[in-house]
Amino acid sequence: MTDKVRIDSLDATSNANNQTYLARQAEFESNVRSYPRKLPLAITQAKGVWITDADQKEYLDCLAGAGTLALGHNHPDVLQSIQNVITSGLPLHTLDLTTPLKDAFSEYLLSLLPDKGKEYKLQFTSPSGADAVEAAIKLAKKATGHSGVIAFSGGYHGMTHGALSVTGNLSPKEAVNGMIPEVQFMPYPNLYRCPLGIGGDASVKALTDYFENLINDVESGVRKPAAVILEAVQGEGGVNPAPAEWLQRIRKVTEEHGILLIIDEVQAGFARTGKFFAFEHAGIQPDIIVMSKAVGGGLPLAVLGIKKQFDAWEPGHHTGTFRGNQLAMATGLTTLKILKGQNISEKVAQQGEWLKGKLAEMQKRFPVIGHVRGLGLMIGIEIVKPNEAKDQLGCYPADGDLSALLQKKCFEAGLILEPGGRHGCVLRLLPSLLITNQELEVFLDKFEQALLAAGVKPVV
Ligand SMILES: Cc1ncc(COP(=O)(O)O)c(C=O)c1O
């Protein structure tokens, strides 16, 4: 197309394809790069839930920037909001100085917090979820005078030192010494693979009692922590929604003991789970809410919601150059207004139930689908070995190898999915929240195609 600006450095006649770009990327970038290893493409175009690669192949994108692109790719209103900033004369970046746009964004975001945000203040941090987690942990320590943190197995909070310290996944931790001290991990409820080997409601009760006992027990060996940090629906950990009664008791116990409850809504927030925030499923109010990803409408932004009585910061005690990205506030504001104004949570909740029903039907034909779970458009499909012996809870062993093969076959079929959970055995959906039912049907077709291409035989 003549009106498109060529933005690559390659010669226009070079016919660069995926392989050209991937080879150059491998030459330019560190070994740390991860997604291109499983999704070997160079993206040239993106619209809604669809992306096109340098070989002109189209994919249904059910990853959406790890859930960042709540309205999908290049939503016209989001693009227009960028244009508006560019032509308004506003600066692009302001440290933490205010502007009329920041003022409007702050007022609107606060209005979405519990009780319309009356009890909360905002803190803009550096724009990654991990930095917001760092700020939340530091603030909890400062506000309480305590130093420990309780985190949960399977939790994911980011890759900076503090955030990694409270993250469950051992793989990125193995070679990094000197995690932050006094982090105590506790088991997180898992509806399929109960960490206590009990299962069902009894398991939720036992986990809840265990948590309460640890906090109350003067022989627990765990000093009273500054904070408890958790995701109300674990994302990277394999899409595990926390039962409401467990969350409610954690809220009650932390409140009684003056321990700050930090809820990380970086992935599950902003209508993703069928409520505006995932903690709303339990009707609780966190002391600190960690927000990133969708809050910036696709551009980098991270914000904390802090209960006013815990705003213990001294000026400048957590700073960061990039706290004032005006474009991200514009795209964030537009995104939040669409999500709220069009009641996208309700649509997402209905679609999630419908999709889980369809996947449950597929599970009957393909027993390698061990468990389907999640809320709204945060869905996980756990892949298992149905020909091996079940454990005492009746679950087959997880099959990370087949899950990896399925991701590959999905990719070949034009479907982008992301694995997560222990050994990557859970295939996860985090599509645009504007995905239509018709597009979800395409997902189901492609997923079934991938199962067959991976050599999985249907049983009926
Ligand atoms: C729940 C949760 N918290 C924190 C983070 C870290 O965010 P970032 O990658 O922007 O540092 C993530 C990233 O996936 C996340 O899912």
Side-chain angles (χ1 to χ4, degrees), residues 17 154 207 216 251 321:
N17 59 18
L207 286 164
N216 283 318
R251 175 63 289 189
T321 302

Side-chain angles (χ1 to χ4, degrees), residues 55-386:
D55 293 351
Q56 304 307 317
K57 182 172 167 187
E58 274 209 323
Y59 303 82
L60 178 70
D61 180 11
C62 287
L63 177 55
T68 303
L69 300 156
L71 305 183
H73 294 280
N74 291 323
H75 188 284
D77 293 4
V78 170
L79 295 187
Q80 187 57 49
S81 63
I82 295 176
Q83 288 290 350
N84 294 348
V85 174
I86 291 171
T87 52
S88 69
L90 273 173
L92 291 181
H93 159 66
T94 67
L95 300 164
D96 66 351
L97 299 169
T98 198
T99 66
L101 172 57
K102 184 180 192 184
D103 184 88
F105 175 81
S106 301
E107 183 178 44
Y108 196 75
L109 179 59
L110 271 171
S111 77
L112 302 173
L113 303 190
D115 281 340
K116 302 208 174 309
K118 282 196 273 309
E119 290 184 42
Y120 288 86
K121 282 194 163 200
L122 301 178
Q123 177 187 356
F124 289 83
T125 66
S126 287
S128 69
D131 189 62
V133 166
E134 297 291 335
I137 293 172
K138 280 167 61 183
L139 177 60
K141 290 185 178 185
K142 199 159 166 52
T144 60
H146 295 146
S147 49
V149 182
I150 291 182
F152 290 90
S153 306
Y156 184 84
H157 301 288
M159 285 285 151
T160 51
H161 242 91
L164 185 58
S165 302
V166 293
T167 285
N169 187 353
L170 291 177
S171 161
K173 290 172 116 161
E174 298 288 8
V176 181
N177 294 326
M179 292 286 121
I180 62 169
E182 281 199 67
V183 175
Q184 178 74 28
F185 279 87
M186 297 204 60
Y188 188 93
N190 185 319
L191 302 176
Y192 187 54
R193 296 185 190 280
C194 168
L196 305 181
I198 303 174
D201 292 345
S203 145
V204 177
K205 183 170 178 338
L207 286 164
T208 319
D209 290 346
Y210 179 41
F211 177 83
E212 184 159 1
N213 185 57
L214 183 114
I215 301 292
N216 283 318
D217 182 6
V218 292
E219 289 276 342
S220 70
V222 179
R223 299 201 301 165
K224 187 189 278 193
V228 166
I229 184 165
L230 59 88
E231 296 155 272
V233 180
Q234 288 187 336
E236 303 299 308
V239 193
N240 295 311
E245 53 280 33
W246 179 81
L247 271 178
Q248 286 157 357
R249 191 102 80 92
I250 287 193
R251 175 63 289 189
K252 185 169 167 284
V253 174
T254 47
E255 197 158 16
E256 283 166 5
H257 287 265
I259 301 164
L260 268 55
L261 178 59
I262 303 171
I263 302 223
D264 182 340
E265 290 278 332
V266 168
Q267 188 166 126
F270 304 101
R272 169 69 51 197
T273 68
K275 295 267 186 202
F276 210 81
F277 291 105
F279 59 75
E280 290 173 14
H281 290 282
I284 58 164
Q285 291 197 5
D287 298 316
I288 303 180
I289 306 166
V290 186
M291 299 172 273
S292 187
K293 293 200 196 286
V295 78
L299 295 184
L301 195 67
V303 194
L304 294 183
I306 302 167
K307 275 259 170 99
K308 283 179 184 166
Q309 70 262 39
F310 301 118
D311 183 22
W313 289 119
E314 300 293 330
H317 276 194
H318 188 90
T319 65
T321 302
F322 286 111
R323 286 173 290 160
N325 184 339
Q326 298 300 291
L327 292 177
M329 290 177 201
T331 51
L333 183 56
T334 301
T335 301
L336 298 183
K337 282 187 171 171
I338 290 177
L339 293 176
K340 188 70 187 174
Q342 297 183 14
N343 201 6
I344 299 298
S345 306
E346 204 175 297
K347 172 197 101 84
V348 163
Q350 284 167 9
Q351 283 180 312
E353 290 314 300
W354 176 84
L355 188 59
K356 279 191 288 182
K358 288 284 181 191
L359 286 166
E361 283 168 24
M362 203 184 275
Q363 184 180 19
K364 289 188 196 132
R365 283 180 292 122
F366 294 97
V368 296
I369 300 179
H371 195 225
V372 176
R373 56 180 176 262
L375 289 168
L377 289 172
M378 191 168 174
I379 301 280
I381 306 165
E382 183 156 339
I383 304 299
V384 298
K385 298 177 183 170

